[in-house]
Amino acid sequence: MEDIVKNKEMDVFDSVTPEVKLRTKKMMMWFIIFAVVMLFGGVTSALIVLKGKLMWMHVTVPTAFWMSIFSVLASSATMYWAIQSLKAGRVKNAM
């Protein structure tokens, strides 16, 4: 009996409608995006703020750091424009 219970997967969305499933998944994705943005912002602001303090060892920010910021911003803008094109019905522009 215990083997049957252990092998059975539990789905927390069994008793809810598809709309609730989608809304819940979207909300969780927004929480994850918010957490990543806050982590990125916190590390970046700590680097900038502590760089001016005397206790901070003065190092130059690696070029790869600035390149990664640029690539994240560029890919976010591209994704936003693609989604807007799809919503407007311009599938060719989104590809």
Side-chain angles (χ1 to χ4, degrees):
M1 182 70 183
E2 289 181 22
D3 293 331
I4 296 171
V5 174
K6 286 181 183 178
N7 292 333
K8 183 179 178 186
E9 292 183 23
M10 189 170 117
D11 187 9
V12 295
F13 293 116
D14 274 342
S15 62
V16 295
T17 63
E19 294 84 21
V20 173
K21 285 183 186 181
L22 182 62
R23 191 173 61 221
T24 303
K25 290 177 182 179
K26 280 185 179 181
M27 183 58 71
M28 290 306 296
M29 184 54 69
W30 279 112
F31 284 146
I32 291 169
I33 290 171
F34 179 74
V36 168
V37 167
M38 291 302 294
L39 179 66
F40 181 77
V43 170
T44 304
S45 65
L47 179 70
I48 292 170
V49 168
L50 291 177
K51 189 174 179 181
K53 303 255 181 193
L54 294 176
M55 66 181 191
W56 185 260
M57 185 171 64
H58 293 282
V59 295
T60 57
V61 179
T63 306
F65 180 76
W66 298 113
M67 295 296 286
S68 69
I69 290 176
F70 173 75
S71 65
V72 166
L73 291 175
S75 65
S76 298
T78 305
M79 182 65 115
Y80 174 77
W81 290 326
I83 290 171
Q84 294 304 315
S85 293
L86 286 173
K87 285 182 180 178
R90 298 184 306 260
V91 177
K92 273 189 170 180
N93 291 349
M95 297 291 185

